[in-house]
Amino acid sequence: MFAIVALFALLSAAVGSSTHKNPHYVPGHDTMVHLFEWKWVDIARECEEFLGPHGFGGVQVSPLQENIVIQNRPWWERYQPISYHWVTRSGSKQEFIEMVRRCNNAGVRIYIDTIANHMSGNYPNAFGTGQSKADTYNFEYGAVPYNHSHFHKLCAITNYNDAANVRNCELTGLHDLDQGLEHVREKIVNFMNEAIDIGVAGFRMDAAKHMWPADLKVIYSRLKNLAVGHGFPRDAKPFIYQEVIDYGNHEAVSKFQYNEVAVVTEFKHGSEISNSFRGNNLLKWFVNWGEKWGLLPSRDAIVFVDNHDTQRSDGPQILTYKSSKIYKMAVAFMLSQTYGIPRVMSSFEFQDFNQGPPQDNHGNIVSPVINADNTCGKGWVCEHRWRQIYNMVRFRNAVNGTGVTNWWDNASNQIAFCRGNAGFIAFNGDNYDMKVTLKSCLPPGTYCDVITGNLENGRCTGKSVTVQHNGDMYVEISSHQDDGVLAIHRDPINPEKHRRKQNDQILSTVWLLKNLRFCTLTRSYV
């Protein structure tokens, strides 16, 4: 299986090979999922059993660096490192290495949430998840080692109209490293290169807004190429996406200052989509969705509806799993568009800002329980396992390489469009039924709506749409239905074709049994 993944990777086009803008997905895979606070052993299993088979491209994992242990174990303790040792509540170094290997073999890439801007804040008797200790009040991090000379002067960020204040002072009390110093650069580069050696595909740079772009460029220039032995093309640069919170408010630090050599997180994307699907803007205006909305160039943007920060910090304006119907609509829109490199959020339930992941009485993270319908339990939300989301990842793979065509709207909140001649999707954001006959971009046939069901044994478990020989198709989405989206893609239902496929499989099996002494069946996730 590993050889197959490697072959596909070597044959794939090296888009962005001179920069850090190619996520290096295995062909036939697309879309990243953030498995927020998952354990490494659980991610490995998820790659093999779900993400690979459903065509996901990669996983953003929680920070790998040893972090300070904070009372009641809030989620944000993971963003207060005490060293660069690979030991966290998610697991050991060996478990991480094994996870990367297994996910790469399943056709799923791994991206590390990386903290290079700062170390921890001040805590008495500070110790880490690997038992490292620090004198945080005196900026002494012996396990690195760092001392007071490796940090910017002590000041707090108070003025977002002053770039030096934003980049040289402490963010919420977190001790701000000076990335202009060779010692600091060396420690960050060594940490990242060691991860590249074991097969990771790239990095999310946390709080990149608070580091100087020139310093980051030097750090990126010293990173190794991705490991060919783990299935990457030769001379492939690690994928890097930088957290720069910029909603277009004309602050001193802009997202456009960071996209020269690496990708940037496009926060305005989620804000605008949430605003529209909440009914505060008409969906018809999405006809020119993308850069014309003040967004980054498409190839430079990691896009998302929500992330682990905005879920908690941006209040009711950002859609989350807690508004499930319109959230699924928003994610479906993101995945159906050509703009950006999409990332899907996979959450745990929370009732307050600080609440950490599901854990036992000793603070150990509890593994998700997978229910009979493939959803998660035991406090885990797992949006990526919602049918309406994972089937839209399949939709995205099916329409890959096509553009948005045949736009239709009702001058309000009902919209529909094609992806070339490979797929069609419609949204009903109005409070009345959508009932319309449209010209299809798909060949005649009957197609399963992948939002309400699947194709099983040659039949749709949800809605179906029939494209007539004259190209007409009738689309209906009732306002009271659980799903406000309908999506179909190529490979229509063809019972005769399904029967022929079954017969071919039977004949092939008979031939194998007659002509082979033995055969080893392997499971492929590509």
Side-chain angles (χ1 to χ4, degrees):
M1 174 56 212
F2 178 78
I4 294 173
V5 173
L7 178 61
F8 275 134
L10 290 169
L11 292 175
S12 65
V15 178
S17 59
S18 62
T19 62
H20 299 274
K21 298 182 180 182
N22 186 345
H24 302 290
Y25 292 148
V26 171
H29 293 243
D30 198 290
T31 305
M32 185 189 307
V33 57
H34 183 189
L35 295 182
F36 184 42
E37 290 277 22
W38 279 48
K39 293 188 292 187
W40 310 145
V41 293
D42 295 330
I43 294 174
R45 184 165 50 249
E46 191 74 353
C47 284
E48 294 170 339
E49 296 180 358
F50 190 85
L51 299 176
H54 286 84
F56 282 83
V59 176
Q60 177 184 313
V61 302
S62 289
L64 176 60
Q65 296 149 262
E66 180 186 13
N67 60 269
I68 275 191
V69 175
I70 298 174
Q71 187 176 8
N72 298 325
R73 313 307 300 267
W75 64 270
W76 42 264
E77 76 168 29
R78 294 290 288 265
Y79 293 87
Q80 300 209 23
I82 194 171
S83 79
Y84 294 105
H85 297 162
W86 296 14
V87 54
T88 68
R89 283 205 290 172
S90 288
S92 67
K93 182 174 185 176
Q94 189 54 47
E95 287 171 334
F96 184 84
I97 293 171
E98 179 67 4
M99 175 200 71
V100 173
R101 182 191 68 80
R102 289 169 62 182
C103 287
N104 277 332
N105 285 349
V108 183
R109 302 309 193 190
I110 297 296
Y111 311 95
I112 299 173
D113 199 347
T114 305
I115 307 161
N117 174 66
H118 57 263
M119 298 301 281
S120 72
N122 282 331
Y123 294 92
N125 304 314
F127 68 96
T129 44
Q131 301 306 309
S132 295
K133 295 183 179 180
D135 180 355
T136 57
Y137 292 93
N138 290 309
F139 296 76
E140 295 282 350
Y141 294 85
V144 180
Y146 286 144
N147 60 45
H148 201 286
S149 68
H150 300 122
F151 295 84
H152 285 123
K153 65 180 181 179
L154 185 59
C155 56
I157 296 175
T158 57
N159 183 7
Y160 277 87
N161 291 315
D162 179 353
N165 178 253
V166 172
R167 291 169 173 151
N168 292 342
C169 294
E170 291 189 348
L171 174 67
T172 62
L174 301 170
H175 296 328
D176 197 68
L177 287 166
D178 184 352
Q179 293 80 22
L181 299 175
E182 183 57 32
H183 179 77
V184 175
R185 289 175 175 175
E186 178 186 350
K187 294 302 179 182
I188 295 168
V189 168
N190 288 346
F191 167 75
M192 296 173 74
N193 276 337
E194 186 178 1
I196 290 171
D197 285 341
I198 63 99
V200 304
F203 307 89
R204 172 189 180 266
M205 300 302 291
D206 180 72
K209 178 177 183 175
H210 302 281
M211 294 179 275
W212 292 95
D215 291 337
L216 289 173
K217 192 172 182 179
V218 171
I219 290 169
Y220 302 159
S221 72
R222 297 181 181 179
L223 297 180
K224 296 180 179 180
N225 292 333
L226 296 180
V228 175
H230 291 277
F232 297 102
R234 293 191 179 280
D235 302 321
K237 303 292 184 184
F239 181 56
I240 295 175
Y241 51 109
Q242 306 160 105
E243 184 200 21
V244 181
I245 301 174
D246 179 2
Y247 289 102
N249 298 326
H250 307 292
E251 295 177 358
V253 177
S254 163
K255 59 194 174 187
F256 294 101
Q257 297 166 359
Y258 289 83
N259 64 324
E260 178 186 353
V261 295
V263 172
V264 178
T265 53
E266 181 50 274
F267 279 76
K268 190 175 180 182
H269 173 279
S271 176
E272 294 287 5
I273 286 182
S274 294
N275 188 52
S276 294
F277 279 96
R278 283 195 181 279
N280 300 321
N281 204 355
L282 295 177
L283 297 187
K284 72 171 186 175
W285 300 123
F286 281 139
V287 64
N288 65 348
W289 177 241
E291 296 173 34
K292 292 182 179 179
W293 287 60
L295 307 181
L296 288 157
S298 179
R299 71 187 295 262
D300 295 350
I302 278 281
V303 297
F304 46 93
V305 174
D306 62 332
N307 72 6
H308 67 283
D309 280 315
T310 62
Q311 282 185 331
R312 295 160 173 80
S313 302
D314 285 20
Q317 60 266 36
I318 291 293
L319 286 171
T320 72
Y321 74 89
K322 296 186 179 186
S323 302
S324 61
K325 179 177 179 177
I326 52 177
Y327 180 76
K328 293 170 191 173
M329 294 172 69
V331 174
F333 181 79
M334 174 181 73
L335 295 176
S336 66
Q337 284 283 313
T338 58
Y339 178 78
I341 303 166
R343 180 184 62 196
V344 170
M345 184 66 198
S346 190
S347 315
F348 54 82
E349 295 174 2
F350 66 94
Q351 284 70 49
D352 64 71
F353 178 88
N354 295 318
Q355 185 175 338
Q359 53 194 290
D360 62 22
N361 292 332
H362 302 287
N364 301 308
I365 295 176
V366 175
S367 298
V369 169
I370 307 302
N371 301 319
D373 63 355
N374 277 331
T375 61
C376 288
K378 221 166 189 178
W380 296 93
V381 178
C382 300
E383 296 96 318
H384 72 285
R385 278 179 166 267
W386 293 358
R387 181 190 64 251
Q388 298 88 342
I389 291 179
Y390 69 71
N391 269 351
M392 280 305 302
V393 173
R394 286 174 159 171
F395 176 97
R396 186 174 182 86
N397 284 315
V399 303
N400 186 33
T402 66
V404 174
T405 60
N406 295 53
W407 179 276
W408 172 91
D409 63 65
N410 71 338
S412 183
N413 291 305
Q414 296 178 5
I415 61 174
F417 54 88
C418 293
R419 288 294 305 272
N421 64 356
F424 167 86
I425 190 164
F427 298 82
N428 182 11
D430 283 324
N431 58 5
Y432 51 88
D433 294 348
M434 177 179 184
K435 297 180 179 181
V436 61
T437 297
L438 300 172
K439 285 294 182 183
S440 175
C441 45
L442 295 173
T446 300
Y447 298 80
C448 291
D449 170 29
V450 299
I451 299 296
T452 56
N454 294 301
L455 172 63
E456 296 180 6
N457 299 318
R459 296 180 180 275
C460 298
T461 61
K463 289 198 241 178
S464 63
V465 176
T466 298
V467 177
Q468 306 296 336
H469 285 283
N470 66 357
D472 285 351
M473 63 177 176
Y474 176 70
V475 177
E476 179 174 337
I477 307 175
S478 299
S479 60
H480 65 273
Q481 289 177 338
D482 291 338
D483 296 305
V485 189
L486 179 148
I488 59 176
H489 57 78
R490 58 189 168 197
D491 289 336
I493 304 167
N494 186 328
E496 182 58 33
K497 177 181 175 181
H498 180 72
R499 282 193 292 272
R500 286 199 305 268
K501 183 178 180 181
Q502 287 182 318
N503 290 337
D504 289 345
Q505 290 173 338
I506 293 170
L507 290 173
S508 296
T509 302
V510 172
W511 185 90
L512 283 170
L513 292 173
K514 284 184 176 180
N515 293 277
L516 299 177
R517 289 184 178 181
F518 63 90
C519 68
T520 301
L521 300 177
T522 60
R523 191 177 183 186
S524 172
Y525 295 108
V526 177

